[in-house]
Amino acid sequence: MSQEQEKSWLGEIQDLESTQGNQSLEEIDPSPSMPPIADNLEELLGAETSSNTEGPQNECPSTVPASSTSLSKSDESSSSEEDEDFPSTSEVLAYIVNMCKDLIRKKIDFLVDFLLTKYKKKELITKEEMMNAVMEEYADYFPEILMRATERLEIIFGLDLKEVDPGSNTYTLLIKLGLTYDGLLSEVEGMPKSGLLILILSVIFMKGNRATEEEVWEILSVTGIYPEQKHFIFGDPKELITKDMVQEKYLQYQQVPNSDPPQYEFLWGPRALIETTKMKVLEFVAKVRDTDPSCFPSQYEEAWKDEAERAQARAAAIAVGTPRGRVRLTRSSSFP
């Protein structure tokens, strides 16, 4: 996936904020100009926002303009007309920062493409392969590049990078939240579509377990997805959401009772109720927001109630000797 394509989907938003690592990209990107997708989602869901993008500047592999070699002397000497031809300190620093950002983002894009190729081929991934994909001269930045790449895989494609065995340095990509749908066999092949499903499930839950079609498309439009516009990953998004995901039983799409003119709404489908949980979805939303699930009190209480009901259903099934794989989880009482 090219950088231009990703920008067209995410509305040219910046990478998710992070303060991890000694060589954080936030430290070489001190003044982000656009809010991350997490903030867009949070704003539409009515949550509060907070961010911290402060941090010292670190070294970054780059080439300084030749004119910068006389920078310190020209800045310190005088205000003569000759010195005015030299770039200022802030101009040179801005040049270096922009170059660093471009170089690192290209490596993040490349690593995402590499990992998606491995996923589609159902191949395991080694740490050595990922480091080779990033290239040796960026080894010091590998932890940050990997973190940003995995964040994109989570948010955009709904995939988790998991180590096969502790300490093995061998990894695999799994669909998040316990889901088994990636949409690779749908109309537009080639890109996993579970990220879109997770976003819709999150919207439905955060909206009180049902979301009108208008509410869903309002949120999707923030990410550049429109009902009547072909998408480079999702093809016809309206058909994907209202037909494919409904046929796969992940979503219910029905008319709002007593609506005139007719309006439609989305609910979780039976397959979503079995494969994932409200708590997993809430934890996903909280992670995107860089906060704790308990910061959403009503949803948190509901998710815990759902967990308790599921635990009781499992215990009852075990008591009567029902094979674990055949346990039928009843719909939570909070669902209509």
Side-chain angles (χ1 to χ4, degrees), residues 16-17 34-44 48-51 288-289:
L16 291 173
E17 295 179 351
M34 298 289 287
I37 188 171
D39 288 344
N40 291 334
L41 175 60
E42 179 187 8
E43 179 182 353
L44 290 169
E48 297 179 357
T49 60
S50 63
S51 63
V288 170
R289 282 298 313 123

Side-chain angles (χ1 to χ4, degrees), residues 83-102:
D83 289 341
E84 291 178 358
D85 293 334
F86 287 91
S88 67
T89 301
S90 60
E91 289 173 336
V92 173
L93 288 177
Y95 176 89
I96 295 173
V97 167
N98 288 334
M99 178 175 287
C100 290
K101 288 158 59 179
D102 289 342

